[in-house]
Amino acid sequence: MIRVENLTKVYTTPDGRQIRALDGVSLHVRRGEIFGVIGPSGAGKSSLIRCINLLERPTSGSIQVDGKEMTRLSGPELRRERRQIGMIFQHFNLFWSRTVAENVAFPLEIAGWPREKIRRRVAELLELVGLTDKARAYPAQLSGGQKQRVGIARALAAEPKVLLSDEATSALDPETTDQILALLRRINRELGLTILLITHQMEVVKAICDSVAVMSQGRVLEAGPVLELASRPGSHLGRMLLPSWNGLTPSPGSSLVALTFAGQVALEPVVTRVARDHGMDINILAGELDAFGSVPVGRLLVELPRVGEELQAVLADLSARGVRWEVVARG
Amino acid sequence: MAEQTILGLDPSRIPDILTATWETLLMVGWAVLGILAFGIPLGVLLVVTDTGGILENRPLNRVLGFLVNLGRSFPFIILLVALVPVTRRVMGTTIGLRGAVFPLIVAAIPFMGRQVESALREVDRGLIEAALAMGATPGQVIVRVLLREALPGLIRGTTIMIISLIGYSAMAGAVGGGGLGDLAIRYGYMRFETPVMIATLIILVIMVQLIQWLGDWLARLLDRR
């Protein structure tokens, strides 16, 4: 649905320095999925999402939304295409002088919908986001979560193919964040809407993303289905999720191994079985059980009293049981 | 001869004072319409053609900025005289209401342009981006976002403009437009009829207070933030 190829964005600062916000970014968002881009601030996420609907013009590269090359559209064509791409924002960007209903009506007004049709569509959308009773309120009278619901209703008004979410939950408290994420998930499922979101919050990726790209310094470090990436040994995503083990060194004759259990295997007593079968003690140094959407993912950092060929045998056994592993250090 | 007076004011002056008040209101009223008609587009242009504006045009922005500053650096009394030939051409006369309104409009357009500019700059960039992301045209952004969201600020700016205009109208009036300023000078200054001058001052004070109060009330009413 969205295909970004080799996207580059270079800014020139007022004092003439050049800053490479995007440095050859490529990614592919499939129809109907929730694709998250995660990274620290300054990684280029914001530039990336703003290039998709050309709020920022990329320096080079290609952006296709539903097969249309965005960078080559004329003014009127671009406006028509933008009506097919909804967008929500960290600070909601609601029109203060308009009521909730008038905010939601805005994209329909500018698209020239007839009044009666607008009225019906707005009622429908307010129902969808659960704000029917706030139709005549002004944004200043709403809570953060309610404001973002209005933002979502407004973004969906013109029945877009794609929803872009620019840190939509970053200004919200954890509980409200969960509600907004649940709403986005529901919209994605019920309307089959493709969502591209950027965030610096791992919870967002864990809660609703099907696929993820990890960005740093204007580049995509890795991208793929969340579960696969999270359980892939050595992945950046995995490292972001794993408890840190800085400074831990294995005792002589032992190895430090990071284990990842994704799906059903996360709920099975694999470690104790392996320990029993190989007649050894496994020392658990750190661990976490997490969930991606509804899939459980467990991570453990363990010390195995084995090196060399003996270690290989244990690792092969772990692989056979569906556990992914990475040898972090050898004693 | 002991004529009856009201606090020292000769009652036979009252019709003159009422006429002058009416003239001031007419002068200011017509001038406000003209100033808004030109000042709002000017302010919009100053904002949208600026760097990063939705219709960025640096050369045009610089020229407009220069003209506005030029217009604002002329003392009104000099502009009033300098404009006489232009006023005659455009309005057909240099005296009376028509003669006074024209220089008032010309003098206040740059000032109003800046007032509009600063009101529009208060509109959060995020709102403009949101509208653009929804496929709004520049015209739609200007009318439905910039001007609409800036309405309370525009009203405050207009209030300031009207109040300075009342002061300016006294000067324009003295050059032949009539009004309270003219009256105050003719009776109060030239004939030493201090009560007439005081009466005109009282009327001007009430006028200014009313306009300020009305402007504040309206701006607050429309401010939904």
Side-chain angles (χ1 to χ4, degrees):
Chain A
M1 181 57 105
I2 303 175
R3 202 176 268 283
V4 175
E5 305 274 8
N6 214 7
L7 198 66
T8 306
K9 173 76 189 179
V10 181
Y11 295 99
T12 309
T13 58
D15 56 334
R17 283 183 309 125
Q18 298 215 317
I19 293 172
R20 220 165 246 278
L22 295 175
D23 192 2
V25 169
S26 300
L27 44 87
H28 177 208
V29 180
R30 276 186 289 274
R31 190 178 297 270
E33 76 172 340
I34 301 185
F35 191 107
V37 177
I38 189 163
S41 52
K45 309 181 301 278
S46 196
S47 295
L48 172 64
I49 201 161
R50 292 158 49 82
C51 277
I52 304 290
N53 59 1
L54 255 66
L55 282 180
E56 273 175 37
R57 195 157 273 282
T59 309
S60 67
S62 140
I63 300 154
Q64 284 182 23
V65 178
D66 202 17
K68 278 224 179 66
E69 176 59 49
M70 298 294 287
T71 56
R72 265 189 246 121
L73 297 177
S74 69
E77 285 170 339
L78 176 61
R79 285 194 280 277
R80 211 172 310 128
E81 224 27 58
R82 278 173 170 170
R83 285 174 190 164
Q84 303 285 307
I85 303 175
M87 191 168 192
I88 54 177
F89 306 87
Q90 178 173 7
H91 299 294
F92 324 122
N93 292 351
L94 300 181
F95 302 116
W96 296 100
S97 73
R98 291 169 180 264
T99 62
V100 166
E102 287 167 343
N103 264 282
V104 177
F106 186 89
L108 307 176
E109 265 176 41
I110 61 173
W113 283 36
R115 229 161 224 242
E116 186 50 30
K117 224 176 131 197
I118 292 181
R119 202 189 53 75
R120 279 203 306 271
R121 179 73 181 139
V122 169
E124 221 173 273
L125 286 155
L126 291 181
E127 175 86 43
L128 176 76
V129 300
L131 283 177
T132 304
D133 57 328
K134 296 283 182 196
R136 314 186 86 165
Y138 286 89
Q141 299 166 293
L142 303 180
S143 70
Q146 289 171 328
K147 282 184 197 145
Q148 197 56 289
R149 282 167 191 275
V150 178
I152 291 170
R154 188 177 66 175
L156 297 179
E159 294 171 341
K161 301 179 286 200
V162 173
L163 180 66
L164 304 177
S165 164
D166 184 353
E167 297 274 8
T169 56
S170 299
L172 303 175
D173 61 62
E175 199 179 322
T176 314
T177 295
D178 289 346
Q179 289 169 10
I180 294 296
L181 292 178
L183 177 62
L184 289 176
R185 190 35 134 180
R186 206 179 98 215
I187 288 161
N188 164 254
R189 295 237 169 97
E190 286 176 9
L191 310 178
L193 186 69
T194 309
I195 302 179
L196 172 62
L197 63 83
I198 66 165
T199 183
H200 63 266
Q201 298 169 298
M202 189 50 86
E203 307 92 86
V204 173
V205 173
K206 284 199 275 196
I208 63 168
C209 291
D210 301 304
S211 297
V212 64
V214 179
M215 275 192 82
S216 173
Q217 300 187 325
R219 293 167 176 273
V220 171
L221 300 179
E222 61 195 15
V226 172
L227 212 59
E228 196 210 300
L229 215 53
S231 55
R232 184 191 297 168
S235 71
H236 292 275
L237 192 71
R239 233 170 274 161
M240 282 187 230
L241 292 165
L242 197 69
S244 80
W245 59 79
N246 288 336
L248 290 178
T249 48
S251 40
S254 301
S255 306
L256 279 189
V257 180
L259 306 177
T260 307
F261 314 80
Q264 198 49 41
V265 69
L267 306 174
E268 288 167 10
V270 180
V271 173
T272 50
R273 277 182 197 157
V274 170
R276 201 179 307 126
D277 290 357
H278 291 265
M280 63 181 184
D281 294 323
I282 295 181
N283 188 13
I284 297 175
L285 302 172
E288 192 176 38
L289 183 63
D290 233 320
F292 289 84
S294 52
V295 181
V297 175
R299 302 186 146 275
L300 288 178
L301 182 70
V302 298
E303 191 180 36
L304 297 177
R306 297 281 195 276
V307 287
E309 276 178 27
E310 286 181 314
L311 176 66
Q312 292 311 317
V314 177
L315 295 177
D317 195 12
L318 284 166
S319 291
R321 291 174 197 262
V323 176
R324 306 186 74 160
W325 49 262
E326 179 191 6
V327 178
V328 179
R330 287 169 214 267
Chain B
M1 35 193 265
E3 276 182 46
Q4 268 204 319
T5 63
I6 307 161
L7 299 170
L9 180 71
D10 181 349
S12 68
R13 299 291 185 229
I14 288 177
D16 280 351
I17 292 174
L18 290 179
T19 309
T21 306
W22 177 240
E23 283 169 350
T24 292
L25 287 175
L26 269 185
M27 215 179 338
V28 171
W30 282 109
V32 166
L33 291 182
I35 292 161
L36 291 179
F38 290 95
I40 291 174
L42 175 63
V44 168
L45 277 177
L46 284 169
V47 172
V48 298
T49 60
D50 198 9
T51 315
I54 52 170
L55 293 171
E56 183 174 328
N57 185 334
R58 292 301 301 278
L60 179 60
N61 189 263
R62 285 214 189 118
V63 170
L64 286 176
F66 174 77
L67 288 177
V68 164
N69 291 342
L70 190 75
R72 294 194 64 192
S73 38
F74 275 65
F76 180 59
I77 196 81
I78 292 176
L79 195 69
L80 198 57
V81 178
L83 274 176
V84 164
V86 190
T87 307
R88 184 174 293 123
R89 279 201 89 114
V90 176
M91 307 298 285
T93 175
T94 59
I95 55 162
L97 177 68
R98 289 160 62 91
V101 163
F102 182 76
L104 277 178
I105 292 175
V106 173
I109 286 172
F111 176 73
M112 191 61 205
R114 288 290 185 214
Q115 292 288 333
V116 171
E117 181 190 11
S118 80
L120 298 187
R121 286 199 193 284
E122 290 297 305
V123 176
D124 184 357
R125 260 208 78 80
L127 303 189
I128 297 163
E129 285 208 331
L132 289 175
M134 286 182 250
T137 61
Q140 287 170 329
V141 172
I142 290 168
V143 175
R144 290 165 192 259
V145 181
L146 273 177
L147 290 173
R148 178 160 177 175
E149 296 299 321
L151 200 53
L154 290 172
I155 288 169
R156 290 192 188 97
T158 304
T159 307
I160 295 172
M161 182 270 288
I162 294 175
I163 287 171
S164 2
L165 200 61
I166 291 174
Y168 281 28
S169 79
M171 279 190 261
V175 179
L180 290 166
D182 178 43
L183 190 79
I185 289 175
R186 277 193 291 127
Y187 289 88
Y189 180 68
M190 294 178 177
R191 297 195 198 171
F192 304 105
E193 285 189 32
T194 310
V196 176
M197 186 142 75
I198 291 173
T200 60
L201 282 177
I202 290 172
I203 292 169
L204 286 171
V205 167
I206 291 171
M207 234 183 239
V208 168
Q209 295 291 346
L210 269 178
I211 287 163
Q212 186 67 53
W213 174 82
L214 194 71
D216 286 347
W217 173 78
L218 204 58
R220 220 174 310 124
L221 185 77
L222 292 169
D223 199 345
R224 305 289 187 178
R225 294 199 60 153

